[in-house]
């Protein structure tokens, strides 16, 4: 038995000291290496509720392109030691918690949904950016070639697992309503540095340069130094949505507005303009942090 009532249907505990994934292009050239450490995942389901908790102690994306000016593409910015109580370890890079209450017919009842991400530092230069754009341009053709001739077998397997009549029944069912007692997505902050020099080290990559289609002074518009992109928190209490897509639209509208505001701020941080937004960022960021805490 659990405090929430009902017997335990299943319980999952997953702990990984570390996991890494490399992205390799067609040359083959390793482009980036993503690593996660101290990964903890727990999930419990009872007759009365379901809950899950994900924690990632540290996440980092390294640039593997030779002689890159920015060997670390993405890394969390931990608070200074003096800001942590009793010299405690840095907080996890990512934490997410969710709990669902069972027994509500036709409704997904979420007691809480919480997501928190530590501030991030992102740095990118033209050589890695051009390789990533080239990989993205070639992926559709490569994917179509690898799937050619195997679609028939895959479709047959899917038909056995998901019969047509079952799919039709699922499509006819109305989407479940969602009630969220408390949704909290904490602020997301990223300090961005973009160093896009006019020429790539490899001439064959020049056509994929991020500023390839720009001319004149416009080619300097992708140079930023420690410009901060800030996405404000999203809090919802006792909110009801007709479907999951309605909830997704609500979240998209919030973050689209934040991204547009962030883009205007980044424009004010361009090297070409002398970064006039830096002073206002320091003042405004301190006020926002004070009131949020």
């Amino acid at each position: 038995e659990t405090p929430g009532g009902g017997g335990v249907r299943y319980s999952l505990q997953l702990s990984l000291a570390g996991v890494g994934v490399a992205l390799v292009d067609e040359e083959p050239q390793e482009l980036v290496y993503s690593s996660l450490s101290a990964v903890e995942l727990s999930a419990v389901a009872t007759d009365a509720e379901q809950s899950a908790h994900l924690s990632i102690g540290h996440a980092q994306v390294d640039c593997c392109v030779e002689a890159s000016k920015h060997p670390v593409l993405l890394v969390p910015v931990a608070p200074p030691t003096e800001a942590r109580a009793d010299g405690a370890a840095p907080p996890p890079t990512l934490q997410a918690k969710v709990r669902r209450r069972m027994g509500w017919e036709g409704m997904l009842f979420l007691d809480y949904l919480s997501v928190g991400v530590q501030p991030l530092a992102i740095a990118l230069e033209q050589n890695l950016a051009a390789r990533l754009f080239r990989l993205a341009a070639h992926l559709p053709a490569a994917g179509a070639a690898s799937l050619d001739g195997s679609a028939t077998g895959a479709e047959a397997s899917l038909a056995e697992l998901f019969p047509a009549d079952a799919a039709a029944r699922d499509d006819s069912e109305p989407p479940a309503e969602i009630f969220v007692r408390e949704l909290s997505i904490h602020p997301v902050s990223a300090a961005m540095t973009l160093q896009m020099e006019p020429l790539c080290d490899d001439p064959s990559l020049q056509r994929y340069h991020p500023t390839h289609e720009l001319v004149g002074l416009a080619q300097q518009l992708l140079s930023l130094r420690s410009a901060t992109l800030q996405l404000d928190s999203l809090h919802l209490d006792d909110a009801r949505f007709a479907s999951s897509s309605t909830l997704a639209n609500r979240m998209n509208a919030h973050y689209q507005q934040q991204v547009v505001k962030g883009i205007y701020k980044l424009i004010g941080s361009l090297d070409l303009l002398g970064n006039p937004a830096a002073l206002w960022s320091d003042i405004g960021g301190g006020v926002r942090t004070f009131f949020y805490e």
Side-chain angles (χ1 to χ4, degrees):
E1 296 293 326
T2 63
V8 175
R9 299 171 58 187
Y10 67 80
S11 176
L12 170 67
Q13 294 285 341
L14 175 65
S15 179
L16 298 175
V19 59
V21 177
L23 180 64
V24 181
D25 64 12
E26 69 270 20
E27 286 191 13
Q29 163 71 50
E30 187 176 5
L31 302 183
V32 297
Y33 181 80
S34 305
S35 59
L36 307 176
S37 61
V39 179
E40 302 285 344
L41 172 63
S42 62
V44 177
T46 70
D47 297 331
E49 64 181 35
Q50 297 175 344
S51 62
H53 176 212
L54 172 65
S55 174
I56 298 177
H58 183 79
Q60 183 167 320
V61 181
D62 295 320
C63 174
C64 301
V65 176
E66 186 176 359
S68 173
K69 302 176 184 67
H70 302 288
V72 179
L73 176 62
L74 181 148
V75 66
V77 181
T81 305
E82 57 271 15
R84 304 196 297 265
D86 300 327
T93 299
L94 170 68
Q95 288 194 88
K97 299 179 181 180
V98 62
R99 185 170 69 190
R100 174 190 180 186
R101 188 180 300 180
M102 308 300 292
W104 291 80
E105 186 70 24
M107 176 180 288
L108 180 63
F109 190 116
L110 299 180
D111 264 336
Y112 59 78
L113 173 61
S114 175
V115 180
V117 181
Q118 290 299 310
L120 304 172
I122 300 173
L124 181 65
E125 48 88 38
Q126 77 281 355
N127 292 302
L128 175 59
R131 289 183 179 275
L132 290 174
F133 282 138
R134 182 179 66 178
L135 179 62
H138 293 174
L139 274 180
S146 64
L147 293 176
D148 186 28
S150 62
T152 303
E155 290 174 357
S157 300
L158 289 174
E160 294 177 0
L161 292 173
F162 306 101
D165 56 342
R169 288 195 302 269
D170 292 340
D171 292 340
S172 64
E173 295 179 358
E177 288 187 273
I178 297 178
F179 179 82
V180 183
R181 174 160 289 174
E182 180 183 356
L183 183 146
S184 177
I185 301 179
H186 297 261
V188 179
S189 176
M192 305 181 65
T193 296
L194 303 181
Q195 187 175 351
M196 300 295 167
E197 296 185 359
L199 298 178
C200 295
D201 292 345
D202 184 348
S204 65
L205 294 173
Q206 197 61 34
R207 59 179 296 194
Y208 300 102
H209 193 288
T211 63
H212 177 68
E213 301 298 332
L214 303 178
V215 295
L217 290 177
Q219 291 185 345
Q220 304 298 321
L221 295 181
L222 289 181
S223 293
L224 303 170
R225 288 180 296 178
S226 300
T228 301
L229 176 63
Q230 177 80 31
L231 303 181
D232 293 339
S233 60
L234 173 62
H235 291 282
L236 298 175
D237 293 320
D238 296 328
R240 188 168 183 171
F241 301 93
S243 64
S244 58
S245 61
T246 308
L247 173 58
N249 291 338
R250 172 66 178 83
M251 297 175 66
N252 286 339
H254 172 79
Y255 285 108
Q256 284 176 1
Q257 182 183 18
Q258 297 297 319
V259 169
V260 171
K261 290 170 59 179
I263 289 175
Y264 282 117
K265 183 177 178 182
L266 291 179
I267 292 176
S269 302
L270 295 172
D271 285 351
L272 184 64
L273 303 178
N275 198 359
L279 175 61
W280 300 110
S281 175
D282 292 341
I283 297 174
V287 173
R288 282 195 303 270
T289 301
F290 172 78
F291 280 103
Y292 180 76
E293 293 178 349

